[in-house]
Amino acid sequence: MSMRVAIGNDHAGLGLKGIIVERFTTPDRQFVDFGTNSPQPVDYPDIAAAVAGAVAGGEYDQGILICGTGIGMTITANKVPGIRAALCHDCFTATAAREHNDANILTLGERTLQPEAACSIVEAWFQAKFSGGRHSRRVDKIRELEQKYCSCLSEQK
Ligand code: RB5
């Protein structure tokens, strides 16, 4: 079955989004574009919330979020339970994010990366798989933390 990737960006990530979708769409990998597709400024939390919610909900296998630095997208996406968003600046961190952290959203900064470097990172990301083993125990601890704090929040209501 084809991999489904949710991709989104703010105005500062628009150019890189286009490059990635064109370069990495294959018969086995489809991108669904959550916007923005205009250079008009938008608020990165709106895009990050839409993509992170769709990935956490299981409609997509993975996500990619792009803003100027990647930082705002990362902070926002990681607020959504079930999301492990990794801001990667090189191939090593992209590979490790998948193999060790089972990261499910790659975040990138268009203002911090040359397009070719960004594409190398995306390639490394797609080639890597979660290693499991001792890393599963650590990812489970992240899930436990989410459970703990999500239940705290609902008790406060
Ligand atoms: C937009 O100017 C910029 O703040 C945004 O793209 C991002 O870098 C935020 O983290």
Side-chain angles (χ1 to χ4, degrees):
M1 208 170 90
S2 160
M3 168 187 261
R4 282 168 58 79
V5 182
I7 191 164
N9 56 282
D10 71 359
H11 51 288
L14 180 56
L16 183 55
K17 190 260 299 283
I19 292 169
I20 290 171
V21 170
E22 189 178 330
R23 180 91 59 104
F24 291 97
T25 297
T26 68
D28 293 334
R29 185 189 302 120
Q30 298 301 312
F31 288 88
V32 174
D33 186 355
F34 283 68
T36 184
N37 285 298
S38 154
Q40 290 302 315
V42 293
D43 297 336
Y44 61 80
D46 297 335
I47 308 291
V51 167
V55 173
E59 298 157 63
Y60 296 89
D61 300 294
Q62 293 183 0
I64 296 181
L65 285 166
I66 311 158
C67 62
T69 59
I71 295 171
M73 291 295 198
T74 310
I75 293 170
T76 311
N78 278 319
K79 300 292 181 197
V80 177
I83 292 303
R84 292 176 298 283
L87 174 57
C88 297
H89 289 113
D90 53 44
C91 295
F92 179 80
T93 45
T95 300
R98 292 285 303 122
E99 290 184 349
H100 291 206
N101 312 113
D102 198 16
N104 49 13
I105 293 185
L106 170 64
T107 53
L108 297 167
E110 179 168 344
R111 292 176 180 161
T112 67
L113 291 166
Q114 294 299 317
E116 276 312 309
C119 286
S120 301
I121 292 168
V122 174
E123 181 71 39
W125 169 271
F126 282 135
Q127 279 182 13
K129 286 192 170 40
F130 183 48
S131 304
R134 68 188 185 282
H135 301 296
S136 295
R137 183 180 70 242
R138 295 163 186 167
V139 173
D140 283 346
K141 289 187 177 186
I142 298 173
R143 291 197 183 96
E144 284 167 21
L145 204 58
E146 284 174 338
Q147 289 291 325
K148 180 178 168 186
Y149 284 99
C150 289
S151 51
C152 262
L153 287 173
S154 50
E155 278 162 20
Q156 280 170 16
K157 277 182 194 162

